[in-house]
Amino acid sequence: MIQVSGEFIAFFVVSCFVIGGAVFMIHLVRVVHMVLALAFSLLGIAGIYVLLNAEFLAVVQVLIYTGAVSILMLFGIMLTRHRDREEEGTRLWHSVISFVGVGALFGILIHTIYHTPFAGRTAEVEHYSTARLGETVFKKYVIPFEAVSVLLLVALVGAVILAGKERNT
Amino acid sequence: MMAVTSYLALGAILFCVGLFGVLTKRNAVMVLFCIELMLNAANINLVAFSKYGLHANQTGQVFTLFTITVAAAEAAVGVAILFALYRNRNTVKADRYDTMKG
């Protein structure tokens, strides 16, 4: 039995936002509306991070996902043919088979989650801070940090080359 | 106090919704965006275990930070590949990209 506390109410409301945005994304017809629903869902995930004492990650989530990635996807839709709608009914069997498969995976996941004995302990979250996160990144994980910066540079150059005009050879 | 199972269940629901979107959406941009949703579901699990895990510490948040960075790079390259495909095939329907179909 779960006691009703402030954290539980906040979790309930925020997860309703997140799941509602995702389900709306599945059911909407126009692609621009889908992107808006999914941006709403990603904003709710930032709220989940706040509940889990990860404030810096919440800010990063808002900046990267609800800001940058959503706008990138909107660019992707606007620069291609965006007046198209998702046609329904043409691939009914495909949808049914996908739904059954995903439902089976969901059942297995939920069964596993609720039958695994977790430790039930909570970390000392009062020591969690952005300063400690930064110290961990720049002292213990400095090599992966540099590797990720190189990866970002390579991805940027690769994206420019891929999306740029093709030269006649 | 909240149990870790609630957060894991939320992650599982989001992952399954994203997977269903990947399998059924025909617009390639939406397929990319559903993949981002699945990555976010994995991130929720990482952050939940950084608070409720057996040896819980802030390393889980560091890992999530790296995952977000790699996912952003993936989104940029994915949209660029999509532009190149759109220029060549003049469509964004994912089931029209069937040149390599036997």
Side-chain angles (χ1 to χ4, degrees):
Chain A
M1 198 60 205
I2 303 172
Q3 294 98 359
V4 176
S5 62
E7 191 188 359
F8 176 72
I9 295 169
F11 175 78
F12 186 76
V13 171
V14 173
S15 57
C16 278
F17 280 166
V18 172
I19 297 171
V23 171
F24 262 100
M25 184 273 297
I26 293 292
H27 278 284
L28 285 173
V29 178
R30 299 193 61 122
V31 281
V32 180
H33 295 174
M34 286 182 206
V35 171
L36 282 179
L38 210 46
F40 192 70
S41 177
L42 296 175
L43 193 64
I45 291 174
I48 294 284
Y49 287 165
V50 172
L51 281 179
L52 287 167
N53 296 78
E55 292 85 5
F56 181 70
L57 278 183
V59 175
V60 167
Q61 173 85 10
V62 172
L63 279 178
I64 304 284
Y65 274 110
T66 53
V69 173
S70 301
I71 297 299
L72 191 67
M73 294 296 168
L74 273 178
F75 265 112
I77 286 166
M78 294 296 176
L79 289 178
T80 54
R81 194 173 296 167
H82 64 281
R83 302 213 180 272
D84 289 358
R85 292 160 174 260
E86 293 274 331
E87 295 107 34
E88 299 288 334
T90 51
R91 298 193 305 166
L92 186 65
W93 274 109
H94 183 95
S95 299
V96 169
I97 292 171
S98 304
F99 187 79
V100 169
V102 172
L105 175 70
F106 179 67
I108 292 169
L109 281 177
I110 289 294
H111 181 268
T112 313
I113 286 169
Y114 278 96
H115 285 79
T116 308
F118 287 110
R121 265 180 277 165
T122 308
E124 298 95 5
V125 287
E126 59 269 16
H127 296 311
Y128 282 15
S129 65
T130 309
R132 272 194 60 185
L133 185 66
E135 271 181 26
T136 316
V137 170
F138 288 114
K139 281 181 179 168
K140 197 174 172 189
Y141 295 98
V142 65
I143 305 283
F145 177 78
E146 294 296 333
V148 157
S149 68
V150 173
L151 173 78
L152 271 181
L153 183 68
V154 171
L156 185 71
V157 175
V160 169
I161 290 173
L162 275 173
K165 283 208 174 93
E166 283 174 22
R167 283 152 195 83
N168 296 322
T169 50
Chain B
M1 83 154 244
M2 293 283 303
V4 65
T5 47
S6 311
Y7 291 101
L8 296 188
L10 176 67
I13 292 171
L14 271 188
F15 186 86
C16 288
V17 171
L19 185 60
F20 185 70
V22 168
L23 290 175
T24 55
K25 292 289 172 202
R26 303 180 75 191
N27 193 317
V29 183
M30 290 320 294
V31 173
L32 266 181
F33 216 2
C34 287
I35 292 173
E36 296 292 321
L37 191 66
M38 290 163 74
L39 283 166
N40 267 285
N43 285 345
I44 288 178
N45 282 10
L46 291 176
V47 182
F49 277 119
S50 96
K51 184 175 178 184
Y52 293 112
L54 194 57
H55 300 289
N57 55 50
Q58 261 190 318
T59 313
Q61 298 183 11
V62 176
F63 202 77
T64 309
L65 213 55
F66 287 133
T67 316
I68 289 175
T69 319
V70 175
E74 174 257 328
V77 175
V79 169
I81 290 175
L82 210 69
F83 283 162
L85 268 175
Y86 179 72
R87 213 169 35 224
N88 286 325
R89 302 300 306 270
N90 206 24
T91 180
V92 283
K93 293 285 165 64
D95 49 355
R96 297 278 179 81
Y97 299 144
D98 53 359
T99 314
M100 293 177 75
K101 201 171 182 178

